[in-house]
């Protein structure tokens, strides 16, 4: 049966506006912030599958981001590798780290799994401080930029936007089909999911490994954007920032955490004169969302979408095959 595909004008306008952002951005710093938001979203989009869809409390993804960033910086700086090969290596290494971390820790209950991911992030920080001959220690490392035309602020923005678009497309497809239903089933009840034949551990491990791959890509782009990284760049508060973006955006949706990422990343710029109160504003916003909109910002987006662009329910008329039914009844009768 062929279904009529509807064209989403708001989505198309939004994509065009984001693509043209370097032309209408007010200043280079605003373009830098937009590129930073895109880099964060590459990580948060897949982390949303882990936290929002699968229900795993992972609060240590900043460790994977740091591994991807340092891998990119070391390969391009010490070994003069191509930035593209270095980014691929960052993705592969972080995917392997996610796989190896998930093998033992994904068998732990929720709170203990969160503690395991937090310990992993702290271990990465200590390793980057201890191996100063490789990572530069507390002094850090300078990071090479991508090749032309991605060596300019506008070029790097378009590269990040393209990667973020691909990752968003992958996450959207994973969430809307059988994998998404399996993840939501795991989040709601692991026992029920196992009872209906969902391979619980395999799904968790696959999703967590995928989030590691995208964290590695985000780390490489983040390092190139910052041009210089130190262990203080990857503080644990950044990992909490990723987690809060998903909580504020709303679990089980894609657009909500994206809006949450934009709001939380832009908030320090909006309250720049009160920068020392930044954590207070984060706390107030989180408290208001939890109390007033417990399902997250995504629920507001969904309500507005249903109000201004309601979906028409599809009617499916089922025509029974009466001759086949009659034949089956005759064959089932005793002679």
């Amino acid at each position: 049966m062929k279904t009529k595909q509807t064209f989403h004008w708001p989505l198309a306008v939004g994509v065009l506006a984001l693509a043209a952002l370097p032309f209408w951005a007010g200043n280079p710093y605003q373009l830098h912030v937009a590129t930073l938001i895109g880099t964060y979203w590459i990580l948060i989009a897949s982390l949303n599958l882990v936290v929002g869809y699968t229900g795993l409390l992972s609060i240590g993804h900043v460790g994977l981001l740091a591994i991807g960033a340092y891998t990119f910086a070391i390969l391009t700086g010490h070994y003069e590798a191509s930035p593209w090969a270095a980014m691929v290596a960052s993705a592969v290494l972080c995917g392997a780290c996610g796989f190896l971390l998930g093998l033992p820790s994904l068998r732990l209950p929720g709170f203990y799994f969160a503690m395991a991911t937090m310990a992993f992030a702290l271990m990465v920080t200590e390793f980057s401080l201890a191996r100063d001959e490789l990572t530069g220690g507390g002094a850090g490392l300078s990071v090479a930029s991508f090749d032309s035309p991605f060596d300019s602020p506008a070029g790097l923005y378009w590269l990040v936007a393209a990667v973020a678009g691909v990752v968003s497309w992958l996450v959207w497809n994973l969430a809307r089909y059988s994998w998404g239903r399996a993840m939501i089933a795991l989040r709601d009840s692991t026992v029920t999911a196992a009872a209906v034949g969902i391979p619980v551990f395999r799904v968790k491990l696959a999703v967590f490994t995928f989030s590691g791959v995208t964290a590695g890509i985000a780390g490489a782009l983040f390092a190139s954007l910052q041009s210089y990284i130190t262990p203080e760049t990857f503080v644990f508060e950044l990992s909490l920032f990723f987690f809060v973006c998903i909580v504020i955006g709303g679990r089980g949706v894609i657009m909500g955490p994206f809006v949450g990422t934009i709001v939380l990343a832009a908030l320090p710029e909006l309250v720049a004169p009160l920068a020392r109160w930044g954590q207070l504003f984060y706390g107030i916003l989180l408290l208001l969302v939890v109390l007033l909109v417990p399902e997250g910002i995504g629920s507001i987006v969904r309500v507005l979408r249903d109000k201004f662009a309601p979906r028409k329910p599809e009617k499916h008329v089922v025509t029974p095959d009466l001759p086949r039914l009659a034949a089956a009844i005759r064959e089932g009768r005793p002679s």
Side-chain angles (χ1 to χ4, degrees):
M1 178 186 296
K2 294 183 178 181
T3 58
K4 184 179 180 181
Q5 299 292 330
T6 58
F7 187 77
H8 299 282
W9 286 104
L11 179 61
V13 172
V15 170
L16 291 175
L18 291 176
L21 190 142
F23 300 109
W24 56 266
N27 53 62
Y29 183 69
Q30 291 182 358
L31 183 61
H32 175 86
V33 173
T35 308
L36 184 63
I37 291 173
T39 304
Y40 285 160
W41 173 244
I42 293 172
L43 185 147
I44 294 173
S46 60
L47 181 60
N48 183 33
L49 294 179
V50 176
V51 176
Y53 280 83
T54 313
L56 300 172
L57 300 179
S58 177
I59 55 176
H61 263 59
V62 70
L64 294 171
L65 182 75
I67 292 175
Y70 273 109
T71 301
F72 182 85
I74 292 170
L75 291 179
T76 56
H78 292 181
Y79 301 100
E80 298 182 354
S82 166
W84 304 105
M87 185 168 68
V88 172
S90 298
V92 172
L93 179 59
C94 287
C97 290
F99 179 82
L100 295 176
L101 175 63
L103 277 177
S105 60
L106 285 171
R107 302 181 188 276
L108 300 173
F111 174 77
Y112 297 99
F113 173 74
M115 293 300 99
T117 58
M118 183 177 70
F120 170 76
L122 297 177
M123 289 168 57
V124 172
T125 301
E126 293 300 321
F127 179 85
S128 63
L129 284 170
R131 297 298 302 272
D132 54 347
E133 76 283 358
L134 187 64
T135 64
L141 288 174
S142 61
V143 185
S145 61
F146 281 86
D147 301 330
S148 179
F150 304 112
D151 53 347
S152 65
L156 183 59
Y157 168 80
W158 279 319
L159 174 61
V160 170
V163 175
V166 172
V167 171
S168 300
W169 179 78
L170 291 173
V171 169
W172 180 66
N173 278 281
L174 285 172
R176 65 195 291 251
Y177 292 118
S178 58
W179 273 90
R181 297 186 183 95
M183 288 184 284
I184 293 175
L186 288 179
R187 182 193 69 194
D188 293 341
S189 176
T190 305
V191 175
T192 305
V196 297
I198 295 175
V200 174
F201 182 75
R202 190 172 66 183
V203 170
K204 289 182 179 180
L205 187 60
V207 173
F208 196 72
T209 302
F210 174 71
S211 71
V213 172
T214 58
I217 297 174
L221 295 172
F222 178 80
S224 181
L225 175 65
Q226 298 298 106
S227 73
Y228 199 91
I229 56 174
T230 66
E232 287 74 18
T233 307
F234 306 98
V235 293
F236 184 69
E237 286 77 6
L238 185 59
S239 196
L240 293 179
F241 167 83
F242 299 148
F243 187 80
V244 171
C245 286
I246 297 173
V247 173
I248 288 180
R251 66 177 190 173
V253 292
I254 302 296
M255 186 58 66
F258 178 66
V259 176
T261 304
I262 295 175
V263 170
L264 290 184
L267 186 61
E269 312 309 318
L270 299 177
V271 295
L274 304 173
R276 61 177 181 173
W277 301 99
Q279 298 298 326
L280 175 62
F281 284 107
Y282 280 136
I284 292 175
L285 180 60
L286 179 61
L287 183 62
L288 290 176
V289 170
V290 170
L291 293 179
L292 301 179
V293 194
E295 295 183 0
I297 299 176
S299 62
I300 301 177
V301 176
R302 185 166 55 249
V303 169
L304 293 176
R305 182 195 64 191
D306 294 340
K307 180 178 180 180
F308 294 103
R311 295 181 179 179
K312 296 181 179 179
E314 297 182 359
K315 296 182 179 180
H316 300 283
V317 180
V318 179
T319 304
D321 190 348
L322 297 179
R324 185 178 178 183
L325 178 61
I329 293 174
R330 288 194 300 267
E331 291 178 359
R333 288 179 181 176
S335 56

